Amino acid sequence: MRFIDSHCHLDFSEFDETRTELITACKQVGIEHFIVPGVSLAQSTKLLSFTKSEPSISVALGLHPYFLSDHQTHHLAELEQLAKTHSGQFIAIGECGLDRSIDNLDKQTQFFEGQIELANQLALPLIVHHRQSHDLIARSFKRCKPKFGGVIHAFSGSEQQAQSYIKQGFKLGVGGVISYPRAAKTRKVISLIELQHLVLETDSPSMPLAGFQGQVNTPLKVRDVFTHLCELKGATGDAKLQLAAELYDSCSELFLI
Ligand SMILES: [Zn+2]
């Protein structure tokens, strides 16, 4: 079986001591590829050289709402410039999105919609972050329609919300959340969605799986996410091989890996 971790922050300092060994350990167990999102202008710029040293890493360029206080209005234009200068060296725009736990939703919306426009201009998918914000994202998507789909990272929400994203060309990111029994609603929704609309992710170093709280999450855990998904789908034996293959294709088709 081979896997892609469609969302991991491998460039974060948590991995500085272990990155090379970690990537080797991942490859030994079939985790072949890693997608590392951009979170700020400075970090996105650095990511472009990060990918050169390791062909199994693809990167995205983006301005994440968590780092809103770092983002200046001119960063949007600079992100566009960076993207145009380095076309072909990254595979998506993001991590961008809207997060109700962070102040200043007007500024968040301006950056989010600016990045949707940029993705449309460059014919690239988006990596979308949400927190209590499906309604706001729906509004942004109406004003500024994404043309090339993307991933709704760490999807949690209703089946109706899931289907609405799928209709708009998005896949749902499935991560450690499904390992928690208390995430019954998300587990149920994910169990109902066809595999071609799902991608596996860890969001490492964040989002540890159940039983690993307080530890640094790593891309190695993408296999555990897969195991939990197999349980939700009732897949055993050869059906698991088929499931892994479909998830791999779902991710590689979206990001053209
Ligand atoms: Zn992330």
Side-chain angles (χ1 to χ4, degrees):
M1 286 189 284
R2 35 188 216 143
F3 300 95
I4 301 169
D5 186 347
S6 71
H7 192 121
C8 52
H9 297 278
L10 262 183
D11 59 318
F12 281 13
S13 61
E14 283 88 338
F15 298 117
D16 282 352
E17 307 287 311
T18 56
R19 192 172 293 114
T20 310
E21 293 84 348
L22 183 57
I23 291 170
T24 306
C26 281
K27 287 180 183 168
Q28 280 166 353
V29 293
I31 304 158
E32 289 182 358
H33 209 91
F34 312 90
I35 296 175
V36 181
V39 298
S40 71
L41 182 65
Q43 175 265 2
S44 291
T45 308
K46 276 195 210 150
L47 273 188
L48 288 164
S49 49
F50 186 70
T51 179
K52 280 185 196 135
S53 60
E54 183 48 66
S56 64
I57 295 176
S58 297
V59 301
L61 307 182
L63 307 171
H64 192 306
Y66 277 176
F67 301 90
L68 194 69
S69 58
D70 292 346
H71 307 332
Q72 311 290 318
T73 309
H74 62 90
H75 285 184
L76 263 179
E78 287 181 40
L79 191 75
E80 181 177 342
Q81 197 50 51
L82 185 71
K84 288 183 174 163
T85 316
H86 295 274
S87 86
Q89 294 176 38
F90 59 97
I91 57 159
I93 294 296
E95 180 170 357
C96 55
L98 298 170
D99 190 321
R100 272 215 172 84
S101 71
I102 295 160
D103 284 347
N104 205 341
L105 281 165
D106 284 349
K107 186 178 173 191
Q108 287 191 49
T109 303
Q110 184 197 343
F111 280 98
F112 182 39
E113 293 182 8
Q115 289 176 89
I116 299 172
E117 273 169 25
L118 179 58
N120 285 348
Q121 246 187 71
L122 301 169
L124 286 173
L126 287 158
I127 298 173
V128 177
H129 169 96
H130 67 90
R131 183 176 290 174
Q132 294 153 8
S133 57
H134 289 310
D135 56 330
L136 300 174
I137 288 172
R139 256 186 260 165
S140 282
F141 280 5
K142 240 179 222 156
R143 275 195 295 265
C144 199
K145 187 173 156 18
K147 293 184 185 156
F148 300 93
V151 172
I152 305 301
H153 160 54
F155 177 79
S156 64
S158 66
E159 193 191 356
Q160 196 189 359
Q161 281 157 341
Q163 294 297 356
S164 162
Y165 285 124
I166 290 167
K167 246 186 237 142
Q168 296 177 82
F170 283 82
K171 295 181 191 270
L172 312 179
V174 180
V177 167
I178 62 163
S179 67
Y180 289 88
R182 66 176 143 80
K185 184 175 140 196
T186 300
R187 286 162 55 90
K188 175 76 183 157
V189 173
I190 296 296
S191 76
L192 297 171
I193 304 291
E194 287 175 79
L195 289 176
Q196 57 178 327
H197 304 305
L198 303 177
V199 294
L200 294 174
E201 60 177 36
T202 63
D203 202 20
S204 29
S206 306
M207 303 268 287
L209 277 72
F212 298 92
Q213 293 94 324
Q215 295 181 30
V216 172
N217 193 17
T218 82
L220 278 169
K221 285 283 188 286
V222 81
R223 285 174 56 104
D224 297 53
V225 174
F226 170 72
T227 302
H228 285 284
L229 183 58
C230 287
E231 279 165 25
L232 288 184
K233 294 279 185 194
T236 54
D238 281 356
K240 287 172 108 173
L241 302 180
Q242 181 63 27
L243 206 135
E246 285 188 43
L247 289 164
Y248 190 97
D249 290 348
S250 168
C251 190
S252 64
E253 277 163 22
L254 175 64
F255 291 114
L256 302 176
I257 291 165

